[in-house]
Amino acid sequence: MLARAARGPGALLLRGLNILIPVLDRIRYVQSLKEIVINVPEQSAVTLDNVTLQIDGVLYLRIMDPYKASYGVEDPEYAVTQLAQTTMRSELGKLSLDKVFRERESLNASIVDAINQAADYWGIRCLRYEIKDIHVPPRVKESMQMQVEAERRKRATVLESEGTRESAINVAEGKKQAQILASEAEKAEQINQAAGEASAVLAKAKAKAEAIRILAAALTQHNGDAAASLTVAEQYVSAFSKLAKDSNTILLPSNPGDVTSMVAQAMGVYGALTKAPLPGAQDSASSGSSRDVQGRDASLDEEFDRVKLS
């Protein structure tokens, strides 16, 4: 779409059929209403932290009013290009070097707004502005690379330290759990061992009680004294044969060869114990007899031991 501006005040020829008077009228300006792309030349700009940059860009604009574009400014494209360069230098002076790279979109939007405010009187509207390249000085570039490398080394060190910390925590937690499990296992082992020992003692006590009851029943039967005499004689002979096996010190009775006298002495002790009354005889018949037998057996065992030593 083209718009022609003819000579004379306010003379504007639109597209289509237009009649011009020879000599008096002639076409002076031809404006395109399409979107126009303009390359903004590279220029230097100083940032807020005093770093000189070389920067260029691309400007997209459109003529909205051909009359203002023809008679409001001599060269619209040149005017907009200069305005874009000055606005870009002004906006870069407000930002530091790091923010220039981070806030590129906001920088483009600020330049577009500044251009539209001034170009409204020229009948031109800036659609968008894009920064193409940003060139930093070589020494600044090296410093930026060193900064990036230092930041990466810092992150690597932090990650390594965090990994070491997590590893130490895991090892300590594992040792803690292992100690807890070991203590619980030891506790369970001690409980089981104590229960086993208690069961063994109880079983031995029950077996001994049963043996005492059987012995007491046997002694009350016919010829029980003779059986007791035989048992004492056998124990005497067995103990006498073991005197020289366990120690070098030997204790002998006054007459070790007289087995008959030793058996008679033991049976005399047994008879005296069976005839002696025991405490608690006033209790019930069943409990009294049981206690009586147990007391006799205990006294008889002590007397047997005394006889062996004598």
Side-chain angles (χ1 to χ4, degrees):
M1 179 178 183
L2 299 178
R4 300 178 179 85
R7 190 183 67 173
L12 178 62
L13 301 179
L14 299 177
R15 66 174 183 174
L17 180 62
N18 293 279
I19 299 175
L20 299 178
I21 301 176
V23 181
L24 296 178
D25 295 328
R26 61 191 180 95
I27 298 175
R28 186 65 179 269
Y29 302 101
V30 177
Q31 304 292 350
S32 176
L33 302 182
K34 297 179 181 179
E35 185 174 348
I36 302 173
V37 181
I38 301 175
N39 288 323
V40 179
E42 186 179 68
Q43 60 175 342
S44 61
V46 181
T47 60
L48 183 63
D49 48 356
N50 297 322
V51 178
T52 302
L53 301 178
Q54 299 293 327
I55 188 169
D56 57 359
V58 180
L59 184 64
Y60 299 87
L61 54 87
R62 175 177 292 174
I63 296 177
M64 307 301 295
D65 191 343
Y67 181 81
K68 290 182 179 180
S70 299
Y71 297 102
V73 64
E74 181 65 26
D75 192 345
E77 295 183 2
Y78 178 78
V80 172
T81 302
Q82 295 299 316
L83 180 60
Q85 289 180 331
T86 56
T87 304
M88 183 168 53
R89 284 194 295 267
S90 177
E91 294 295 330
L92 285 176
K94 300 176 184 179
L95 301 175
S96 62
L97 181 61
D98 295 335
K99 290 186 178 181
V100 169
F101 295 99
R102 290 198 304 265
E103 300 181 3
R104 198 162 180 171
E105 294 182 0
S106 61
L107 180 62
N108 294 335
S110 299
I111 294 174
V112 170
D113 294 337
I115 293 175
N116 286 332
Q117 291 178 5
D120 185 54
Y121 298 98
W122 302 338
I124 300 174
R125 182 169 183 80
C126 181
L127 301 178
R128 57 189 177 277
Y129 179 83
E130 298 292 339
I131 297 175
K132 290 173 60 178
D133 297 318
I134 300 176
H135 302 282
V136 297
R139 297 186 61 181
V140 176
K141 188 175 182 180
E142 293 177 359
S143 300
M144 293 174 64
Q145 291 179 352
M146 294 175 62
Q147 181 181 0
V148 171
E149 293 177 358
E151 185 68 22
R152 290 179 179 176
R153 286 195 297 268
K154 175 184 175 182
R155 293 179 181 177
T157 304
V158 170
L159 292 176
E160 183 178 1
S161 63
E162 290 180 354
T164 304
R165 173 175 172 270
E166 292 294 334
S167 176
I169 291 175
N170 292 336
V171 171
E173 188 68 23
K175 291 181 179 179
K176 175 183 176 182
Q177 295 295 331
Q179 291 179 356
I180 292 174
L181 294 176
S183 63
E184 291 179 353
E186 184 178 0
K187 176 182 176 182
E189 182 181 1
Q190 292 177 357
I191 292 174
N192 294 333
Q193 184 177 0
E197 292 177 355
S199 300
V201 171
L202 183 59
K204 290 180 180 179
K206 289 181 178 179
K208 188 173 182 180
E210 184 67 22
I212 291 173
R213 284 195 296 269
I214 295 174
L215 179 60
L219 291 174
T220 58
Q221 295 177 0
H222 181 65
N223 294 329
D225 295 339
S229 300
L230 178 60
T231 303
V232 170
E234 290 177 351
Q235 291 182 356
Y236 175 80
V237 173
S238 177
F240 186 79
S241 64
K242 295 180 180 179
L243 288 177
K245 292 182 179 180
D246 297 334
S247 175
N248 294 328
T249 303
I250 302 175
L251 297 177
L252 296 175
S254 59
N255 52 350
D258 191 0
V259 179
T260 305
S261 62
M262 295 301 300
V263 172
Q265 184 181 0
M267 294 306 297
V269 173
Y270 173 73
L273 292 175
T274 55
K275 295 178 181 179
L278 296 176
Q282 294 79 10
D283 295 342
S284 61
S286 60
S287 61
S289 61
S290 176
R291 293 176 183 173
D292 190 10
V293 172
Q294 292 179 0
R296 291 174 194 168
D297 293 339
S299 301
L300 184 60
D301 292 339
E302 293 178 358
E303 190 65 29
F304 285 166
D305 294 337
R306 191 180 299 111
V307 169
K308 291 178 182 178
L309 293 176
S310 62

